[in-house]
Amino acid sequence: VHLWTLGLDWWWKKRIIDKIPRVAQLILDQGCGTGILTFRMARRFPTSRVIGVELHQDYISLAAKKAKALGLNNVKLIIGRAEDVVLRDRFDCITSSYLSKYAEMGKLIRGAKKMLRKGGLLIMHDFTYPRNRIVACSLGIYFRMMRTFGRFGFPQWEKAFYELEDYIRQSSWVTDLISSLDRHGFVNIRIDRLTLGFATIVSAKSKN
């Protein structure tokens, strides 16, 4: 993903981490994949506990190996679907990156409401389709290039190269998320458009 976004993913994840309260002691990373964001948070907040939840066993296995190699003792990994894993802990912050466009939003937010402490922060990041026609056209050209050349260097990602553009174009995750946050009583909802609208971060606080 770092290569595919031309390094922008590193900056986007920095924006996520910069939003996390400095006093956060318990952080949940939903759809953590191989732990890219999870481990960056664990290093930034070494005295905090960071829990990553991921559906795919192969990703969890790789993340576990990486955590051990990095010597991160403040990370716990759980296998499961983000919408279904509702822990009893009261989290200071819940994050996700690239989960939103695939998520069952209503169920995900109901679970987040149960897990966040009063005033806890929810931060969700994902791709969005640019509103500007010129930017959208440029993105379409880039997708075609990735489909042509990327599949040779990364054949395991060929399906993603062909499907991701339509996923992003058709996804209404931002409006669905905001609607769900309103229904569940979240406040201080903020939308940050990133990199000419190619990605978006939505954050909100729990009133629990």
Side-chain angles (χ1 to χ4, degrees):
V1 71
H2 181 75
L3 177 64
W4 188 84
T5 61
L6 304 178
L8 290 170
D9 177 70
W10 186 93
W11 181 70
W12 295 339
K13 284 182 168 56
K14 182 180 184 302
R15 291 287 298 270
I16 295 171
I17 293 170
D18 286 345
K19 286 180 173 291
I20 298 172
R22 301 292 82 115
V23 295
Q25 291 299 303
L26 188 57
I27 303 168
L28 177 65
D29 188 24
Q30 296 179 309
C32 68
T34 60
I36 297 172
L37 175 60
T38 314
F39 300 152
R40 285 182 64 174
M41 292 190 294
R43 288 193 293 265
R44 173 72 76 87
F45 303 97
T47 61
S48 304
R49 285 198 299 139
V50 183
I51 298 175
V53 174
E54 171 55 44
L55 175 62
H56 300 286
Q57 180 63 62
D58 52 343
Y59 289 177
I60 282 283
S61 297
L62 180 57
K65 291 178 182 177
K66 289 167 62 177
K68 184 176 181 180
L70 292 168
L72 295 173
N73 299 317
N74 60 332
V75 172
K76 179 181 179 181
L77 299 169
I78 299 174
I79 187 165
R81 183 169 173 258
E83 295 93 329
D84 298 332
V85 177
V86 180
L87 305 173
R88 294 183 179 180
D89 305 84
R90 301 292 278 181
F91 290 88
D92 298 294
C93 186
I94 296 176
T95 65
S96 68
S97 184
Y98 305 126
L99 170 67
S100 306
K101 62 183 174 295
Y102 303 117
E104 187 181 342
M105 195 62 74
K107 188 173 183 180
L108 189 72
I109 299 307
R110 283 196 302 274
K113 182 180 179 179
K114 292 177 182 178
M115 291 187 286
L116 282 168
R117 65 165 180 78
K118 183 177 181 180
L121 187 65
L122 177 72
I123 308 171
M124 299 184 71
H125 158 255
D126 210 329
F127 295 116
T128 43
Y129 209 77
R131 298 174 178 177
N132 183 285
R133 283 190 174 186
I134 296 175
V135 177
C137 181
S138 300
L139 182 60
I141 293 170
Y142 182 62
F143 270 111
R144 287 192 289 275
M145 289 175 57
M146 291 302 294
R147 285 195 288 269
T148 302
F149 302 108
R151 59 186 177 138
F152 295 110
F154 303 92
Q156 69 273 30
W157 289 100
E158 182 175 2
K159 185 177 180 181
F161 292 144
Y162 276 91
E163 294 182 353
L164 187 57
E165 182 178 13
D166 285 339
Y167 259 116
I168 298 171
R169 189 195 299 271
Q170 296 169 14
S171 176
S172 58
W173 74 265
V174 174
T175 53
D176 293 345
L177 172 57
I178 293 169
S179 176
S180 190
L181 290 170
D182 281 331
R183 283 198 310 273
H184 290 92
F186 281 76
V187 296
N188 295 355
I189 300 172
R190 176 171 175 171
I191 304 170
D192 294 312
R193 304 280 181 182
L194 310 174
T195 317
L196 301 176
F198 182 38
T200 298
I201 293 175
V202 178
S203 58
K205 287 187 176 182
S206 172
K207 280 180 65 178
N208 288 357

